[in-house]
Amino acid sequence: MKFDHKQLSTTKGIKVNGPILIKPKIFRDGRGFFFESWNQKDWEEILKQYNQVPQNFCQDNHSKSYKGVLRGLHFQKRPYPQAKLVRCIFGEIFDVAVDIRKNSISYGEWVGTYLNSINNHQLWIPEGFAHGFLTISQYAEVNYKTTNYWNKDYEESLLWNDSDISINWPLESLKNETLKISDKDKNAKTFKSFKRT
């Protein structure tokens, strides 16, 4: 197989069943590097190892964000939930997934990992998770595949700094850079409010 992979744990040591960190095998030499960033057969084998059903991707998204930009925590409600396969193709981000599956033993827990253009890791975020990231480098370009089309009428956000979720964003890495958050994300739902829906 051309990819190593593992489930992520929270800072409390709780393994969250769902997100998978995928590490490609990179071949480097004096000319540069080569790796397979996507392989359908390997992808299906990885998901089966975690008792997840392979899904088809229907859309690729590409964003550019400057240092200090925090996007999220975004998700789409049923009947249009999205799963995502996220990679940072330039720069570095701290990528986060929050479990919002109400019947999950890790409901309300989060996992985070650094994705960058050196490690070329990817994060699989299944349906039932809110997603966000913080840009660490001067700028970063993020590319991600989704299993459903974007639908503005079903898109929602959780508050990035909600104390009930308590994400440990690496804000110290920004140094003197200002945190940049959209008005929509500043006014996102609290986790308590989400739990009541």
Side-chain angles (χ1 to χ4, degrees), residues 13 18 100 113 167:
I100 56 173
T113 189
I167 296 171

Side-chain angles (χ1 to χ4, degrees), residues 145-176:
K145 298 178 177 297
T146 68
T147 58
N148 212 335
Y149 297 106
W150 176 69
N151 189 311
K152 70 183 175 87
D153 295 326
Y154 288 83
E155 184 182 45
E156 289 207 10
S157 298
L158 290 179
L159 193 60
W160 70 278
N161 60 350
D162 190 292
S163 58
D164 287 331
I165 302 172
S166 287
I167 296 171
N168 186 21
W169 297 101
L171 299 177
E172 69 283 352
S173 63
L174 301 182
K175 298 185 179 169
N176 297 323

Side-chain angles (χ1 to χ4, degrees), residues 14 16 19 23 37 41 47 69 86 92 131 166 169 182-183:
I14 300 168
V16 176
K23 305 175 182 181
S37 61
K41 183 180 173 187
L47 288 186
V69 169
V86 184
E92 183 173 38
H131 170 246
S166 287
W169 297 101
S182 71
D183 288 339

Side-chain angles (χ1 to χ4, degrees), residues 11-26:
T11 51
K12 301 172 191 170
I14 300 168
K15 271 201 172 170
V16 176
N17 184 25
I20 304 169
L21 183 65
I22 299 166
K23 305 175 182 181
K25 292 189 175 161
I26 304 172

Side-chain angles (χ1 to χ4, degrees), residues 8-17 105-106 109-111:
L8 295 175
S9 298
T10 69
T11 51
K12 301 172 191 170
I14 300 168
K15 271 201 172 170
V16 176
N17 184 25
I105 59 170
S106 57
E109 298 289 340
W110 66 275
V111 293

